[in-house]
């Protein structure tokens, strides 16, 4: 048997000899770990399915978070049988999750007050979910290029296209996070971009309010966003923050992983994949089980 240095390149695969070229992952997935993740994602996914019907949010919760759980179960099942390519389902999972974040944030804007938001709730939905869809299409194209490539360079080109989609999706999450921070700063500082009259008390004495432009305006009983920032809404915000951070951790890992190449030390490290891909997404789904918008901010 010929021994090769770990860094030497196998001319048949274009990958280092240290990478398992008989596995699509560069390593042999641990059966017990895969079974555990299948069970965990199946449990949280079924709970989400029940919650979608129980809280009557199935129209947007099933296509997002429930689908995320289903795809995770399929992906980890594929690892059990060794039939899933490294570029197949996993890079796309966070798109289902983040769409739920965007829609939940829009619902919070409607509850607290659109006057603190730079864009209308409808535009927020179309903008962020639209960018999410475009990023998903880009990653799908890159995945197809990598899967059908006949050379290592062709696979790497597909990986670069996929990275472009992941970066676009990360940019959407970042902008969503920054706009959320600005929105809640305006709520707590009482700095609305527009003034909304409270229709429930038009006959109360007039009060003076300062808009974001520094102008003074008089209106009867000005609406205050803090009045609608109930304990339930605050709890939902905490859940969104936790889930968003977990998804960001996972997306940063996937970006670095793909930039490192199909045969790099990151993509062929099972421990890194389990800890920075499987665990964050599972915890994000459990977070949304606990901090469920259907319970905390019902329609």
């Amino acid at each position: 048997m010929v021994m090769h240095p770990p860094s030497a390149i196998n001319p048949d695969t274009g990958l280092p000899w240290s990478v398992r070229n008989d596995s699509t992952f560069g390593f042999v997935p641990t059966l017990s770990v895969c079974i555990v993740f299948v069970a965990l994602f199946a449990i949280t996914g079924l709970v989400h399915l029940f919650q979608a019907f129980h809280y009557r949010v199935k129209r947007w919760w099933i296509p997002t978070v429930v689908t995320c759980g289903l795809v995770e179960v399929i992906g980890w099942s594929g690892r059990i049988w060794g039939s899933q390519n490294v570029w197949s389902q996993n890079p796309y999972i966070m798109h289902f999750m983040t769409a739920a974040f965007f829609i939940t944030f829009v619902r919070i804007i409607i509850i607290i007050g659109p006057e603190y938001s730079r864009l209308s709730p409808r535009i927020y939905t179309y903008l962020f979910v639209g960018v999410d869809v475009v990023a998903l299409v880009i990653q799908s194209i890159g995945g197809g290029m990598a899967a059908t490539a006949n050379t290592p360079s062709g696979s790497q080109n597909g990986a670069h296209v996929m990275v472009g989609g992941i970066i676009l999706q990360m940019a959407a999450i970042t902008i969503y996070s920054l706009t959320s921070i600005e929105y809640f700063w305006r709520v707590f500082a009482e700095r609305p971009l527009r003034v909304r009259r409270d229709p429930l008390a038009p006959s109360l004495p007039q009060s003076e309010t300062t808009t974001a432009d520094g102008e003074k305006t008089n209106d009867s009983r000005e609406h205050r966003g803090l009045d609608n920032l109930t304990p339930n809404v605050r709890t939902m915000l905490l859940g969104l923050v936790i889930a968003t951070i977990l998804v960001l951790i996972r997306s940063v890992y996937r970006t670095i992983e793909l930039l490192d190449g199909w045969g790099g030390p990151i993509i062929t490290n099972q421990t890194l994949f389990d800890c920075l891909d499987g665990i964050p997404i599972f915890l994000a789904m459990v977070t949304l089980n606990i901090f469920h918008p259907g319970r905390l901010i019902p329609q």
Side-chain angles (χ1 to χ4, degrees):
M1 180 177 179
V2 180
M3 300 298 294
H4 301 276
S7 59
I9 301 299
N10 182 343
D12 296 328
T13 65
L15 302 176
W17 282 99
S18 58
V19 176
R20 286 293 301 264
N21 54 58
D22 59 341
S23 169
T24 57
F25 313 106
F27 58 85
V28 178
T30 303
L31 180 62
S32 59
V33 172
C34 295
I35 292 175
V36 168
F37 273 112
V38 167
L40 291 176
F41 280 112
I43 292 171
T44 182
L46 288 173
V47 173
H48 275 297
L49 181 61
F50 168 78
Q51 290 175 315
F53 283 93
H54 180 72
Y55 296 122
R56 300 180 181 179
V57 292
K58 57 182 181 293
R59 285 192 304 175
W60 62 281
W61 204 249
I62 290 179
T64 55
V65 181
V66 174
T67 301
C68 174
L70 175 62
V71 175
E72 283 282 7
V73 169
I74 294 173
W76 284 97
S77 297
R79 284 180 170 260
I80 291 177
W81 295 103
S83 60
Q84 177 188 324
N85 292 322
V86 292
W87 49 73
S88 58
Q89 287 99 349
N90 281 333
Y92 315 138
I93 289 171
M94 60 185 176
H95 291 274
F96 301 110
M97 184 80 69
T98 53
F101 296 168
F102 301 151
I103 296 172
T104 302
F105 176 55
V106 167
R107 294 183 67 175
I108 291 175
I109 289 177
I110 294 173
I111 291 173
I112 295 178
E115 65 270 23
Y116 300 94
S117 174
R118 290 194 175 275
L119 301 176
S120 70
R122 185 183 297 272
I123 293 178
Y124 266 123
T125 302
Y126 290 153
L127 177 63
F128 285 118
V129 176
V131 171
D132 230 24
V133 171
V134 171
L136 175 59
V137 170
I138 293 174
Q139 289 190 55
S140 301
I141 293 172
M145 291 172 58
T148 58
N150 297 319
T151 62
S153 62
S155 295
Q156 200 58 39
N157 289 336
H160 290 157
V161 174
M162 290 177 64
V163 169
I166 293 176
I167 291 176
L168 176 61
Q169 204 264 348
M170 285 181 59
I173 297 177
T174 302
I175 294 173
Y176 144 77
S177 301
L178 293 176
T179 54
S180 301
I181 291 172
E182 189 214 14
Y183 177 81
F184 287 106
W185 172 80
R186 292 190 177 280
V187 171
F188 281 97
E190 194 53 43
R191 301 278 291 178
L193 291 162
R194 297 168 295 279
V195 176
R196 182 172 72 177
R197 178 192 295 267
D198 185 348
L200 299 179
S203 60
L204 293 180
Q206 301 223 327
S207 60
E208 190 176 71
T209 300
T210 303
T211 66
D213 299 326
E215 298 178 353
K216 301 290 185 180
T217 180
N218 290 322
D219 200 356
S220 58
R221 190 183 167 186
E222 298 298 333
H223 170 85
R224 294 180 69 250
L226 284 176
D227 296 338
N228 290 331
L229 198 59
T230 64
N232 277 356
V233 174
R234 293 172 187 263
T235 303
M236 185 69 252
L237 288 175
L238 175 62
L240 274 182
V241 169
I242 295 172
T244 300
I245 291 174
L246 289 168
V247 170
L248 277 174
I249 291 173
R250 190 262 189 185
S251 59
V252 169
Y253 160 71
R254 292 308 303 233
T255 301
I256 298 174
E257 175 196 49
L258 290 175
L259 286 174
D260 189 51
W262 295 120
I266 297 178
I267 202 170
T268 56
N269 188 312
Q270 180 177 210
T271 302
L272 285 178
F273 181 85
D274 295 342
C275 294
L276 298 177
D277 186 291
I279 292 177
I281 295 299
F282 169 69
L283 292 178
M285 289 193 64
V286 172
T287 299
L288 293 178
N289 282 134
I290 299 171
F291 302 90
H292 199 284
R295 176 175 64 86
L296 297 172
I297 50 171
Q299 185 115 16

